[in-house]
Amino acid sequence: MEPNKATAPVDLTLLTYNIRKAVGLDRRRDPHRILEVITQADADVVVLQEADRRLGPRIAALPHQMIEDESDYAIVPLATNDVSLGSHGNAILVRRGIDFANPARTPLPGLEPRGAVSVEIAGKLQVFGCHLGLLRRYRHQQMHRLANELHNLPLPAVILGDFNEWSAHRGFEPLDRDFDIHAFGNSFHTSRPVAALDRLVISKGVEICAGHVLHTPLTRVASDHLPVWTRVKIAG
């Protein structure tokens, strides 16, 4: 693959967003609304969960052509077919003009099919996207796999996604010894946010500068999750 060419930034803004296959609380499937949320957030890198429909050929809930025509984002090529946006519903968008390379898919263990995706950003940072399982014992297996991936990387790394962990104090044991876990507020359910399911895990070499859950009239109806935005600084 020919990488998206650009200069390498030291600071990056990141967004993680479970878009619920573009179905809002009004039960309408509205990908234009989801894309508007993403463009308003104005992040350099966007990690999506539930970006493809669940059944059949897993058609993209956020169409490729719409992203190309109506946003400033390039799609990281992670799908294994011509119709999906990502893998296991996980997708990554990168602002045009920022270099990315080496997209990869990582299978995750568990009862139900799960996987993570990743890409190298600007030669400085490895970004992972994930949507972990519903049961903690399987989430722990999946976190162990992700921890092994991070330990073997030459670059600093960040994992963004829907970790499906409701506890504010437990559940991240496979990751919290060597990595820092950040929650910037409750992101689920948008009608009454009571849980910080959407989080950020960082390795050494990454510093959190700011972060918050995006509460707007649009985000409160576009999906059942609120998006989470953060700014990071990469050492070196």
Side-chain angles (χ1 to χ4, degrees):
M1 184 197 73
E2 185 70 23
N4 198 26
K5 295 182 178 179
T7 58
V10 175
D11 292 358
L12 286 168
T13 52
L14 312 173
L15 186 79
T16 180
Y17 192 18
N18 184 327
I19 67 172
R20 197 197 188 192
K21 307 171 196 68
V23 177
L25 296 196
D26 55 5
R27 300 185 181 180
R28 290 194 300 114
R29 191 184 303 277
D30 190 343
H32 288 279
R33 181 167 57 188
I34 291 293
L35 193 58
E36 186 176 353
V37 170
I38 292 169
T39 55
Q40 286 181 1
D42 196 31
D44 295 317
V45 181
V46 178
V47 173
L48 301 174
Q49 302 86 47
E50 298 193 28
D52 301 315
R53 301 192 194 188
R54 187 172 181 83
L55 302 176
R58 297 187 66 94
I59 296 172
L62 196 59
H64 293 69
Q65 198 64 49
M66 181 184 298
I67 296 169
E68 293 170 5
D69 292 346
E70 301 179 21
S71 82
D72 191 33
Y73 289 100
I75 301 166
V76 176
L78 293 161
T80 57
N81 58 38
D82 295 330
V83 297
S84 297
L85 190 62
S87 176
H88 290 287
N90 299 297
I92 302 176
L93 310 178
V94 179
R95 190 191 305 278
R96 291 177 187 145
I98 295 177
D99 179 45
F100 67 81
N102 302 320
R105 299 178 295 273
T106 301
L108 298 178
L111 180 65
E112 52 188 329
R114 297 278 177 173
V117 296
S118 64
V119 68
E120 182 183 304
I121 301 294
K124 296 282 189 176
L125 180 71
Q126 196 80 18
V127 172
F128 285 78
C130 69
H131 187 184
L132 300 191
L134 298 175
L135 299 177
R136 184 177 283 171
R137 66 177 178 272
Y138 296 122
R139 289 198 298 273
H140 276 192
Q141 294 175 21
Q142 293 157 6
M143 290 180 196
H144 277 296
R145 177 69 57 83
L146 289 169
N148 288 338
E149 290 288 319
L150 266 62
H151 281 305
N152 293 325
L153 287 174
L155 293 175
V158 58
I159 309 171
L160 302 103
D162 178 357
F163 288 86
N164 262 323
E165 178 54 67
W166 287 70
S167 173
H169 308 290
R170 296 182 56 207
F172 284 86
E173 289 81 3
L175 288 167
D176 64 11
R177 175 180 295 180
D178 298 317
F179 308 101
D180 293 331
I181 293 94
H182 293 265
F184 299 108
N186 293 337
S187 57
F188 182 85
H189 185 279
T190 50
S191 62
R192 185 172 177 266
V194 295
L197 301 189
D198 306 278
R199 304 195 192 196
L200 182 78
V201 177
I202 62 171
S203 73
K204 292 180 180 178
V206 182
E207 176 188 348
I208 300 292
C209 301
H212 59 273
V213 178
L214 297 180
H215 291 270
T216 71
L218 193 60
T219 63
R220 285 192 285 268
V221 70
S223 171
D224 59 349
H225 286 248
L226 296 167
V228 177
W229 178 97
T230 185
R231 177 182 286 112
V232 299
K233 183 182 292 292
I234 303 136

